[in-house]
Amino acid sequence: MKNILITGGAGFIGSHLTRLFVTKYPDYNIVNLDKLTYAGNLENLRDIESAPNYRFVKGDIVDMEQMRAVFKQYNFDGVLHCAAESHVDRSITDPLSFVKTNVLGTMTLLQAAKEHWTGNMEGKIFYHISTDEVYGSLGTEGFFTETTAYDPRSPYSASKASSDHFVRAYYHTYKLPVKISNCSNNYGPYHFPEKLIPLCIHNIIHNKPLPIYGKGENVRDWLYVEDHVRAIDTIFHNGKVGETYNIGGHNEWTNIALVKELCRQMDEKLGRAPGTNEKLITYVQDRAGHDMRYAIDATKLKNELGWLPSLQFEEGISKTIDWYLANTEWLNHVTSGDYKKYYEEMYAGR
Ligand code: NAD
Ligand code: DAU
């Protein structure tokens, strides 16, 4: 029996990770600790909320006393740390909250784990879920590997880079058994519609403009979220302590090509004439410091642990659109209230 803490389990990736662990490992006790910020939503976990091996704790990873108390109460053997502020645009308007959650929050958790596990580190794992954005921005050539120098360029990526450094510092200084993975852009069900793909799906449904930053030539490497959490499962159980693994889809798209593919598929699915949705595309002011290209080399993960993505992008995006079309109630809930204010503020001046 293992006691596992998942932080940020009510968010996008965290909810898929929690579902995978709760269903695949009935012998593990899974505690999902989440502050339930705007991005955290317990509706994401409806199907597993009554599972006997699952428990939700409302909590803030920045709160040292609370973290000490939950470690004591549940005697965790493993931590899967997903909780974070995750949206680059929000980090540009409110950088301090990113430092607080991503840097201080990660530090607080590391410290709580260290205090709880000191004298008995055997078999324990502190797994930190991070991003490819820590490596900076690529030109047209090359890929990020695990040895690429860190070069974060947004407040979000700087805060994640800083948290990665603290995780490694706890490994080297205190021998805390850590693992880190840096993943490329995820997509799939339960993705909050502030991010490009769900935002465009939502806007296409409602015939609203599709805001493309700059010329739409920036490139992202997209991975289906269930493939990401499968990789995390593999690394958590079989990866080496102290190591970093890159996770990516070898699936690069310019933003404009991706949004056109969404438009094309949604013309078909919504019974609109070909070309209808593309008319919604609107070029808007670019993101400040917009990274040009991300692309991951996941060879280490493939060679050492045998992980490969399972889904082709066209299939993954079709599944994703179908999910949003079948879950309009979820979409309506998350886009009511504060979302409208956020949208107006973020896009009005563009
Ligand atoms: P998300 O914004 O959807 O979810 C974040 C979750 O963390 C939410 O449930 C939120 O309530 C919770 N949270 C925020 N602050 C908290 C705090 N102080 N205490 C406790 N809980 C708190 O994020 P996501 O897209 O699911 O990303 C999860 C992790 O994966 C992040 O660390 C992110 O950096 C990383 N990541 C994301 C992607 C991606 O494409 N989304 C890619 C690579 C890495
Ligand atoms: O690479 C991994 C990262 O991917 C994660 O660490 C982040 O948490 C996650 O949010 C994501 O960051 P991006 O900034 O790449 O994702 P986003 O969906 O915000 O933007 C994708 C691309 O689309 C990016 O080049 C900016 C552009 N964009 C985004 C929005 C929201 C637009 O053109 N218009 C938009 O309205």
Side-chain angles (χ1 to χ4, degrees):
M1 182 75 81
K2 288 200 181 184
N3 300 319
I4 310 284
L5 168 65
I6 300 183
T7 69
F12 167 47
I13 296 168
S15 61
H16 287 275
L17 186 63
T18 303
R19 178 173 298 100
L20 177 70
F21 269 64
V22 166
T23 53
K24 188 170 172 186
Y25 301 108
D27 288 351
Y28 292 2
N29 292 315
I30 309 292
V31 173
N32 165 21
L33 182 139
D34 197 298
K35 187 179 172 183
L36 300 182
T37 68
Y38 79 92
N41 183 358
L42 290 177
E43 278 185 69
N44 299 0
L45 295 160
R46 274 277 147 76
D47 52 330
I48 55 145
E49 67 189 4
S50 351
N53 62 336
Y54 170 74
R55 182 166 301 204
F56 173 70
V57 173
K58 189 167 189 301
D60 186 342
I61 56 165
V62 176
D63 182 340
M64 186 76 236
E65 287 318 309
Q66 190 184 17
M67 292 311 103
R68 283 191 179 119
V70 290
F71 266 85
K72 194 164 170 209
Q73 182 177 355
Y74 296 103
N75 194 23
F76 297 122
D77 308 294
V79 177
L80 288 154
H81 176 35
C82 276
E85 287 295 336
S86 69
H87 191 36
V88 174
D89 291 326
R90 288 185 193 254
S91 84
I92 294 168
T93 50
D94 180 19
L96 275 179
S97 63
F98 282 67
V99 175
K100 198 170 165 199
T101 297
N102 299 356
V103 184
L104 202 55
T106 301
M107 262 294 303
T108 306
L109 264 186
L110 285 164
Q111 184 61 22
K114 176 197 159 243
E115 287 177 10
H116 192 72
W117 293 342
T118 290
N120 181 23
M121 299 272 188
E122 191 56 38
K124 309 291 191 283
I125 301 170
F126 187 106
Y127 187 138
H128 178 59
I129 285 123
S130 193
T131 170
D132 60 356
E133 300 200 11
V134 299
Y135 299 121
S137 179
L138 291 165
T140 49
E141 301 280 305
F143 297 91
F144 298 133
T145 72
E146 289 80 1
T147 55
T148 301
Y150 273 34
D151 184 22
R153 295 152 42 102
S154 74
Y156 164 69
S157 54
S159 69
K160 290 297 291 187
S162 173
S163 64
D164 292 9
H165 290 321
F166 276 111
V167 173
R168 292 195 183 96
Y170 269 65
Y171 171 66
H172 290 291
T173 309
Y174 307 111
K175 310 286 175 254
L176 195 78
V178 308
K179 299 181 184 183
I180 300 180
S181 57
N182 295 83
C183 189
S184 63
N185 287 63
N186 284 214
Y187 70 98
Y190 302 110
H191 204 184
F192 192 80
E194 63 186 350
K195 311 281 168 59
L196 180 68
I197 289 180
L199 183 143
C200 287
I201 293 174
H202 176 248
N203 286 12
I204 290 172
I205 293 171
H206 295 280
N207 276 305
K208 283 175 62 181
L210 308 177
I212 306 289
Y213 296 166
K215 294 183 181 157
E217 286 167 357
N218 304 64
V219 174
R220 297 292 182 266
D221 174 2
W222 294 95
L223 180 68
Y224 194 64
V225 61
E226 287 180 4
D227 277 332
H228 182 193
V229 299
R230 227 175 14 85
I232 294 173
D233 178 21
T234 302
I235 296 165
F236 183 76
H237 288 98
N238 304 320
K240 289 192 197 123
V241 167
E243 294 277 319
T244 294
Y245 297 86
N246 278 357
I247 309 172
H250 261 299
N251 176 43
E252 294 181 48
W253 288 73
T254 61
N255 294 336
I256 188 64
L258 180 143
V259 171
K260 284 185 177 171
E261 173 65 15
L262 272 180
C263 290
R264 189 190 64 74
Q265 289 205 18
M266 288 189 73
D267 278 339
E268 266 177 45
K269 289 179 194 286
L270 294 170
R272 297 177 183 171
T276 306
N277 293 328
E278 270 199 30
K279 293 194 189 108
L280 297 170
I281 289 176
T282 310
Y283 291 92
V284 299
Q285 191 191 353
D286 209 352
R287 174 184 280 174
H290 196 173
D291 287 342
M292 182 45 84
R293 174 172 165 255
Y294 306 142
I296 279 280
D297 179 346
T299 308
K300 176 176 173 182
L301 183 56
K302 178 176 142 221
N303 289 352
E304 286 188 17
L305 303 179
W307 176 91
L308 279 174
S310 70
L311 270 191
Q312 291 298 311
F313 187 66
E314 285 78 358
E315 190 190 344
I317 207 73
S318 171
K319 269 178 80 164
T320 303
I321 297 167
D322 290 346
W323 185 87
Y324 279 92
L325 293 177
N327 288 276
T328 44
E329 202 184 330
W330 182 92
L331 200 50
N332 291 340
H333 285 175
V334 300
T335 52
S336 60
D338 284 352
Y339 181 80
K340 289 197 176 75
K341 188 165 168 275
Y342 161 80
Y343 198 89
E344 276 156 24
E345 284 174 6
M346 188 60 74
Y347 290 92
R350 283 200 136 101

